């Protein structure tokens, strides 16, 4: 939500969002060795307290944000952008959020994808150790996933910003590849195969997650009712957090009922395919938006 107040164009927002999401993957890369060191030196109780103190620095980072009050025109003359009051006073013809079918579908896609994200990610280490891979090598898979996730978050934003592919094309390709990685995960127990599989899964999942949690819902709502952009993004993030919890519960329930990791991975592959199907109407809307912008530019 903060990024949206600083970056008004979709291209810059996608790039900024991709850069910011690399922080999640970087945390995945750095946290396992950090937590291992803290717990080994101070025990899990004191180590958790130290980690909590580190996390509290987020308060300072959040306090450094300032409202973006001015923008400069091409001639360098500062002008005041449209305020929330002025923006809301404009006449909009778009439906409210609860009647915006494209936004509702995007929320469902966010929820389904968030379930897959945490449901598939939570079993990376248990899946590896269950086939005889050492705990150290299994933890290494998590570190590798952090690297591939960072590459996916940043790499796709550069590709879209340079207009090599469209946002919707990137989403569709990433969804298909990510689903295939889930379906093929149970096929082999070798470490080399799991490394490749985890890299593909986390790389494509980082792309999907980055796109659906900010740029895509923002473009859908802004197209019809710009004044509802911030509430829409808030709903999207709330849905994502709720779905992450449900995904872990579902993964645990499926594993407990079946006694294997195959069923959870296949189930999450099906869920991701369902998310891709629900995205088709959104894909058509975004394509129409691109055509309208192109026609306006030509005129």
């Amino acid at each position: 939500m903060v990024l949206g107040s600083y970056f008004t164009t979709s291209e810059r927002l996608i790039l900024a969002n991709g850069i910011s999401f690399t922080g999640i993957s970087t945390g995945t890369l750095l946290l396992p060795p950090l937590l291992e060191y803290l717990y080994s030196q101070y025990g899990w109780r004191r180590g958790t307290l130290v980690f909590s103190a580190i996390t509290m620095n987020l308060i300072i980072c959040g306090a450094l944000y300032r409202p973006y009050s001015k923008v400069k025109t091409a001639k360098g003359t500062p002008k005041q952008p449209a305020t929330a009051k002025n923006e809301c006073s404009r006449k909009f013809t778009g439906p409210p959020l609860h009647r915006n079918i494209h936004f509702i579908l995007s929320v469902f896609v966010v929820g389904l994808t968030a379930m897959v994200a945490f449901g598939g990610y939570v079993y990376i280490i248990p899946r590896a150790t269950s086939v005889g891979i050492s705990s150290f090598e299994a933890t290494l898979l998590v570190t590798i996933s952090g690297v591939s996730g960072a590459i996916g978050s940043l790499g796709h934003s550069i590709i879209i910003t340079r207009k090599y592919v469209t946002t919707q094309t990137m989403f569709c390709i990433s969804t298909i590849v990510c689903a295939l990685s889930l379906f093929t995960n149970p096929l082999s127990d070798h470490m080399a195969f799991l490394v490749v599989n985890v890299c593909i899964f986390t790389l494509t999942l980082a792309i999907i997650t980055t796109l659906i949690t900010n740029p895509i819902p923002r473009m859908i709502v802004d197209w019809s009712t710009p004044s509802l952009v911030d509430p829409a993004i808030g709903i999207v993030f709330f849905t994502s957090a709720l779905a992450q919890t449900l995904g872990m519960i579902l993964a645990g329930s499926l594993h407990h009922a079946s006694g294997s990791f195959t069923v959870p991975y296949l189930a999450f592959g099906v869920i991701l395919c369902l998310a891709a199907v629900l995205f088709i109407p959104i894909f058509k809307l975004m394509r129409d938006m691109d055509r309208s912008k192109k026609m306006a530019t030509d005129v």
Side-chain angles (χ1 to χ4, degrees), residues 229-252:
V229 168
D230 288 340
I233 299 301
I235 293 173
V236 167
F237 273 89
F238 172 78
T239 303
S240 177
L242 179 62
Q244 289 170 8
T245 303
L246 295 177
M248 290 185 285
I249 295 175
L250 178 61

Side-chain angles (χ1 to χ4, degrees), residues 2-297:
V2 174
L3 289 177
S5 63
Y6 287 90
F7 300 93
T8 55
T9 62
S10 60
E11 291 80 8
R12 291 190 176 184
L13 177 61
I14 290 174
L15 179 59
N17 210 51
I19 295 174
S20 67
F21 266 76
T22 58
I24 299 176
S25 301
T26 304
T28 305
L29 174 65
L30 298 179
L31 282 182
L34 174 61
L35 293 177
E36 180 67 24
Y37 173 79
L38 292 176
Y39 293 160
S40 63
Q41 294 294 320
Y42 305 105
W44 72 269
R45 293 181 185 274
R46 293 183 179 180
T48 302
L49 290 176
V50 174
F51 181 66
S52 301
I54 296 174
T55 307
M56 287 186 68
N57 286 282
L58 293 174
I59 299 175
I60 300 176
C61 296
L64 295 177
Y65 284 112
R66 292 293 182 269
Y68 186 64
S69 58
K70 292 183 179 181
V71 294
K72 290 187 177 182
T73 62
K75 297 181 179 180
T77 304
K79 69 175 184 179
Q80 292 290 339
T83 60
K85 182 177 179 180
N86 293 333
E87 187 179 349
C88 293
S89 64
R90 292 162 55 190
K91 184 179 180 180
F92 300 118
T93 58
L97 294 180
H98 67 280
R99 294 181 182 177
N100 190 330
I101 184 63
H102 294 96
F103 173 72
I104 294 174
L105 285 176
S106 70
V107 171
F108 272 103
V109 172
V110 167
L112 294 175
T113 308
M115 290 179 62
V116 173
F118 272 68
Y121 186 83
V122 73
Y123 278 137
I124 290 179
I125 293 180
R127 162 84 169 87
T129 55
S130 67
V131 296
I133 296 175
S134 65
S135 299
F136 174 78
E137 291 180 332
T139 306
L140 185 61
L141 286 174
V142 179
T143 302
I144 294 172
S145 71
V147 176
S148 60
I151 295 174
S153 298
L154 183 60
H156 90 278
S157 59
I158 297 175
I159 293 174
I160 294 177
T161 303
R162 293 183 176 273
K163 299 182 179 180
Y164 294 128
V165 297
T166 62
T167 302
Q168 50 268 39
T169 302
M170 176 64 75
F171 177 85
C172 291
I173 294 175
S174 301
T175 303
I176 294 173
V177 175
C178 189
L180 289 176
S181 70
L182 288 168
F183 286 133
T184 57
N185 183 280
L187 295 180
S188 178
D189 298 335
H190 295 290
M191 179 65 179
F193 173 84
L194 292 179
V195 168
V196 175
N197 186 272
V198 167
C199 284
I200 295 175
F201 171 71
T202 52
L203 187 145
T204 53
L205 191 62
I207 297 174
I208 298 169
T209 305
T210 306
L211 289 178
I212 65 175
T213 52
N214 200 324
I216 289 178
R218 180 178 295 276
M219 283 186 282
I220 292 171
V221 178
D222 186 59
W223 178 73
S224 58
T225 315
S227 61
L228 297 179
V229 168
D230 288 340
I233 299 301
I235 293 173
V236 167
F237 273 89
F238 172 78
T239 303
S240 177
L242 179 62
Q244 289 170 8
T245 303
L246 295 177
M248 290 185 285
I249 295 175
L250 178 61
S253 300
L254 292 175
H255 178 262
H256 178 74
S258 62
S260 72
F261 295 100
T262 302
V263 174
Y265 276 103
L266 294 179
F268 287 126
V270 172
I271 291 175
L272 195 58
C273 291
L274 176 61
V277 172
L278 291 176
F279 187 77
I280 293 176
I282 304 174
F283 180 94
K284 294 181 179 179
L285 173 65
M286 296 180 67
R287 185 180 59 185
D288 294 339
M289 291 166 57
D290 292 338
R291 290 178 178 176
S292 299
K293 291 179 181 179
K294 185 177 181 180
M295 292 177 60
T297 302

